[in-house]
C-alpha cells in the first residue's frame, strides 16, 4: 500500500493525499480504494464522500468524479486494525520488461492473478509488496488462470493501466501461448479454433462450455513438434473468454496435459499452458520460455 505523504499525521488522523501524475484520471472512490487498500471498506469510503467528509481542494466531490494531478484529497480520521505481526513477506515476481506506464512480470503456475476466497496470495498482492512506495500500485491489466504460467502485464500508472486495458479490449495486443496437449498433429499443421462459449454452473464451480447463445471465441493453433503421444502447440489468442483455450482444445480431443478440469487423467505435476509472447501495440515484444 503506498505510504501517506510525510507531512500527514499518524495512522487514524486527518490526512491530505496529493494526486500524483501516475494517479491522475482516476475516479475519487477508485483513488481512495487504491491508496488505502483492502483494510478500508468501499462502503465506508462511499459514506464519507457522500457526507462531505472527503474534500478535494476543499470542495465536495462525488464518488465518481475524476481527479487531476496536483489536487489534494482531504481524508477524515479512519481507524483500521493494525496488520497482524509476524506476517511472512511475499515472494517477489520476476520482472521481464517495463516501459512508460507498464511492467511485465512472470506469473508462476498455481498463483492466482487476483486474491479471492481462500487465497490472499496473488500476483496483484505480490506487485503491491514489491512496490510499497509507489504512488500508483502496479495493477494487472488482465488475468491468467491460476494454473497458467507466463507473462502478466500491469499498469504502473492509471493512464498506463487504461491503455493496456483498452488494447486488450480492442485486440491490438498479440498474445501467443504454448500448450503441450494429448494427441498428435503433424509439425506445421494449423487449426482454426472458432466456437461460441458460455459459462454455466454455480459460483465457484463454473465451467465453460460451447453454447449457441455464447460469445464468439477465436484462436489459431500451429503444431511446433510432436512425439508418440503429445504435441506442442503455439496458440494465437484472438479473444479472451474464460478458460477459452482449455475448452477449445479439449473439445477437439487435444486436452492440455495436466488440465484437471477439462482434460484427462494424467500424472503431470501442473497444467502445461504458458503465456510466452506478448507484443504491445507499439511493437514491443516480451517473451518468456516455459520451464517445462
Amino acid at each position: 500500500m503506498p505510504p501517506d505523504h510525510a507531512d500527514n499525521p499518524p495512522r487514524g488522523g486527518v490526512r491530505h493525499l496529493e494526486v500524483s501524475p501516475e494517479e491522475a484520471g482516476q475516479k475519487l472512490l477508485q483513488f481512495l480504494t487504491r491508496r488505502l487498500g483492502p483494510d478500508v471498506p468501499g462502503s465506508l469510503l462511499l459514506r464519507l464522500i457522500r457526507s462531505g467528509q472527503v474534500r478535494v481542494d476543499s470542495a465536495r466531490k462525488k464518488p465518481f468524479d475524476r481527479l487531476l494531478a496536483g489536487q489534494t484529497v482531504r481524508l477524515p480520521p479512519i481507524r483500521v486494525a493494525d496488520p497482524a505481526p509476524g506476517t511472512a513477506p511475499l515472494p517477489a515476481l520476476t520482472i521481464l520488461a517495463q516501459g512508460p506506464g507498464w511492467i511485465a512480470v512472470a506469473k508462476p503456475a498455481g498463483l492466482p492473478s487476483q486474491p479471492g476466497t481462500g487465497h490472499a496470495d496473488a500476483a496483484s498482492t505480490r506487485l503491491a509488496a514489491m512496490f510499497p512506495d509507489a504512488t500508483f500500485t502496479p495493477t494487472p491489466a488482465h488475468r491468467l488462470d491460476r494454473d497458467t504460467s507466463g507473462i502478466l502485464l500491469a499498469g504502473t500508472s492509471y493512464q498506463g493501466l487504461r491503455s493496456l486495458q483498452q488494447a486488450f479490449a480492442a485486440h491490438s495486443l498479440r498474445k501467443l501461448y504454448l500448450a503441450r496437449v494429448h494427441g498428435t498433429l503433424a509439425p506445421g499443421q494449423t487449426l482454426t479454433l472458432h466456437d461460441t462459449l458460455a459459462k454455466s454452473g454455480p459460483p465457484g464451480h463454473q465451467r465453460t462450455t460451447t453454447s449457441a447463445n455464447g460469445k464468439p471465441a477465436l484462436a489459431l493453433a500451429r503444431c511446433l513438434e510432436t512425439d508418440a503421444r503429445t504435441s506442442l502447440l503455439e496458440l494465437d489468442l484472438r479473444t479472451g473468454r474464460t478458460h477459452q483455450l482449455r475448452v477449445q482444445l479439449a473439445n477437439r480431443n487435444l486436452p492440455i496435459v495436466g488440465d484437471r478440469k477439462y482434460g484427462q487423467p494424467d500424472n503431470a505435476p501442473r497444467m502445461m499452458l504458458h503465456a510466452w509472447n506478448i507484443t504491445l501495440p507499439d511493437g514491443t515484444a516480451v517473451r518468456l520460455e516455459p520451464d517445462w
Side-chain angles (χ1 to χ4, degrees), residues 10 30 34 64 74 92 143 173 232 271:
Q30 197 176 30
R34 284 200 169 99
F64 305 110
R74 178 197 180 275
R143 290 174 182 261
L173 284 161
L232 178 64
M271 184 172 70

Side-chain angles (χ1 to χ4, degrees), residues 68-143:
L68 302 174
Q71 288 187 310
T72 298
V73 179
R74 178 197 180 275
L75 191 67
I78 297 176
R79 296 289 180 182
V80 296
D82 291 322
T87 303
L90 295 174
L93 300 172
T94 300
I95 298 174
L96 303 172
Q98 52 191 320
W102 63 271
I103 189 171
V105 296
K107 188 193 85 65
L111 181 72
S113 296
Q114 300 286 352
T117 303
H119 55 268
D121 187 12
S124 60
T125 51
R126 292 193 188 188
L127 281 167
M130 290 167 63
F131 298 92
D133 298 325
T135 53
F136 183 89
T137 301
T139 303
H142 61 120
R143 290 174 182 261

Side-chain angles (χ1 to χ4, degrees), residues 90-231:
L90 295 174
L93 300 172
T94 300
I95 298 174
L96 303 172
Q98 52 191 320
W102 63 271
I103 189 171
V105 296
K107 188 193 85 65
L111 181 72
S113 296
Q114 300 286 352
T117 303
H119 55 268
D121 187 12
S124 60
T125 51
R126 292 193 188 188
L127 281 167
M130 290 167 63
F131 298 92
D133 298 325
T135 53
F136 183 89
T137 301
T139 303
H142 61 120
R143 290 174 182 261
L144 292 177
D145 288 347
R146 181 178 61 185
D147 295 326
T148 301
S149 59
I151 303 165
L152 185 70
L153 295 180
T156 55
S157 69
Y158 179 69
Q159 291 303 324
L161 176 63
R162 290 287 296 142
S163 294
L164 288 174
Q165 290 173 333
Q166 290 167 359
F168 277 108
H171 309 299
S172 57
L173 284 161
R174 191 179 188 209
K175 298 169 287 182
L176 299 178
Y177 288 71
L178 294 175
R180 174 69 66 176
V181 301
H182 293 285
T184 58
L185 298 174
Q189 183 177 348
T190 61
L191 297 174
T192 298
L193 312 180
H194 195 188
D195 302 283
T196 53
L197 302 179
K199 292 186 287 186
S200 62
H205 300 279
Q206 287 188 328
R207 292 178 62 89
T208 297
T209 59
T210 55
S211 169
N213 299 319
K215 295 180 179 180
L218 176 63
L220 306 178
R222 180 168 65 96
C223 181
L224 301 180
E225 63 181 40
T226 189
D227 57 28
R229 294 180 298 174
T230 66
S231 299

Side-chain angles (χ1 to χ4, degrees), residues 229-240:
R229 294 180 298 174
T230 66
S231 299
L232 178 64
L233 305 183
E234 182 181 67
L235 301 152
D236 186 347
L237 185 64
R238 300 296 178 89
T239 55

Side-chain angles (χ1 to χ4, degrees), residues 3-83:
D4 296 331
H5 295 283
D7 57 352
N8 285 328
R11 187 182 185 92
V14 173
R15 284 176 278 184
H16 295 85
L17 311 176
E18 182 177 335
V19 181
S20 68
E22 293 79 13
E23 297 169 303
Q26 292 185 95
K27 298 170 184 176
L28 176 57
L29 179 61
Q30 197 176 30
F31 167 83
L32 291 175
T33 299
R34 284 200 169 99
R35 270 296 187 102
L36 301 177
D39 291 337
V40 182
S43 57
L44 171 60
L45 293 175
L46 278 171
R47 288 199 302 272
L48 293 174
I49 295 170
R50 287 169 173 161
S51 65
Q53 297 181 69
V54 172
R55 299 289 179 118
V56 180
D57 289 346
S58 301
R60 293 182 67 151
K61 292 289 183 180
K62 296 179 181 178
F64 305 110
D65 287 343
R66 295 192 181 273
L67 301 177
L68 302 174
Q71 288 187 310
T72 298
V73 179
R74 178 197 180 275
L75 191 67
I78 297 176
R79 296 289 180 182
V80 296
D82 291 322

